[in-house]
Amino acid sequence: GAVVSQHPSWVICKSGTSVKIECRSLDFQATTMFWYRQFPKQSLMLMATSNEGSKATYEQGVEKDKFLINHASLTLSTLTVTSAHPEDSSFYICSASFRTDSNQPQHFGDGTRLSIL
Amino acid sequence: SQKIEQNSEALNIQEGKTATLTCNYTNYSPAYLQWYRQDPGRGPVFLLLIRENEKEKRKERLKVTFDTTLKQSLFHITASQPADSATYLCALARSGGYNKLIFGAGTRLAVHP
């Protein structure tokens, strides 16, 4: 149980393109979803916390207008990287949890490798 | 500022031995500490959670300790197998924090036959 599906797994596109990444909880309702980015050999950096039906909460230094997050249902959150540039190339990972309690594990998708040319 | 340190050097051990990974933190008072496994190109997979009032937690061949005085957690894999080779991440959370986790950079474990 607790499967999170992330799509696409790999994107290569030209600079200036907007890219949408989907994160779905397949067998449970996710109260909260999280979006991370990870550079090689570095830790996961939380970008934003997304609660269904409300605006996402962004971490300090993350541009809201650059990384648009929509959490329209309890099973789907999307991250749109707008007007992507080479410095946005990274590994983006979403996660979901059943509840907002901090004693709950997060269930991760398999990530999206974004490469901007 | 908050800091989580995991040994950045890879840990190489022989199959059958016990692997011990360390997670140290500063300027933080976590209510919970979690350990995850991450394989290359994949998302992390949850392994164990330990609360601040727990000293030790076990699950099959895995054992986690949590010392809030030393601000340290140790993660042990007994009777290690080549299939245990992966990067292991520790993550800390405060209570009431909407389950927001702060991750260490992870330690890569390589178990050799």
Side-chain angles (χ1 to χ4, degrees):
Chain A
V3 177
V4 175
S5 173
Q6 192 172 335
H7 179 80
S9 57
W10 196 289
V11 180
I12 302 174
C13 57
K14 293 181 180 179
S15 185
T17 307
S18 291
V19 178
K20 180 186 277 189
I21 303 170
E22 290 188 350
C23 180
R24 293 180 185 273
S25 56
L26 298 185
D27 52 359
F28 68 101
Q29 292 188 327
T31 306
T32 306
M33 288 186 172
F34 303 86
W35 288 95
Y36 298 84
R37 66 188 294 182
Q38 185 178 34
F39 293 106
K41 297 187 179 180
Q42 293 188 25
S43 64
L44 279 75
M45 298 300 297
L46 180 65
M47 298 174 66
T49 303
S50 169
N51 291 295
E52 183 264 340
S54 62
K55 288 185 179 179
T57 301
Y58 290 80
E59 294 300 300
Q60 191 172 12
V62 178
E63 298 176 57
K64 300 179 186 181
D65 296 331
K66 176 75 172 176
F67 300 99
L68 300 179
I69 292 172
N70 183 280
H71 193 159
S73 75
L74 282 171
T75 60
L76 174 65
S77 176
T78 60
L79 167 69
T80 301
V81 184
T82 60
S83 187
H85 292 287
E87 59 267 25
D88 298 322
S89 298
S90 188
F91 190 50
Y92 292 87
I93 313 177
C94 71
S95 72
S97 62
F98 293 106
R99 301 197 305 265
T100 57
D101 300 351
S102 54
N103 64 346
Q104 294 298 312
Q106 292 185 16
H107 304 282
F108 286 83
D110 268 341
T112 297
R113 177 81 51 197
L114 176 62
S115 296
I116 307 298
L117 305 176
Chain B
S1 61
Q2 300 160 357
K3 201 172 178 183
I4 301 172
E5 290 184 345
Q6 293 186 257
N7 195 337
S8 59
E9 291 183 16
L11 178 63
N12 291 283
I13 64 168
Q14 210 65 31
E15 182 176 8
K17 301 291 184 183
T18 296
T20 298
L21 288 71
T22 305
C23 175
N24 295 297
Y25 59 93
T26 56
N27 298 324
Y28 202 74
S29 297
Y32 305 92
L33 189 147
Q34 302 182 20
W35 283 88
Y36 289 78
R37 168 185 172 140
Q38 187 175 23
D39 290 285
R42 307 292 297 272
V45 174
F46 171 75
L47 297 174
L48 278 170
L49 178 151
I50 187 166
R51 294 174 174 78
E52 61 179 337
N53 60 353
E54 296 177 315
K55 296 290 184 186
E56 183 179 298
K57 202 79 168 281
R58 291 175 186 260
K59 179 183 174 184
E60 298 173 353
R61 294 185 296 113
L62 309 180
K63 184 178 86 171
V64 172
T65 63
F66 192 9
D67 189 325
T68 55
T69 301
L70 290 178
K71 294 186 183 295
Q72 181 182 80
S73 174
L74 299 179
F75 177 79
H76 306 272
I77 304 176
T78 58
S80 59
Q81 305 164 1
D84 295 326
S85 299
T87 296
Y88 291 86
L89 310 172
C90 75
L92 283 70
R94 284 201 175 105
S95 59
Y98 286 96
N99 202 14
K100 193 164 116 173
L101 294 175
I102 299 176
F103 281 86
T107 298
R108 190 166 61 85
L109 172 67
V111 181
H112 303 282

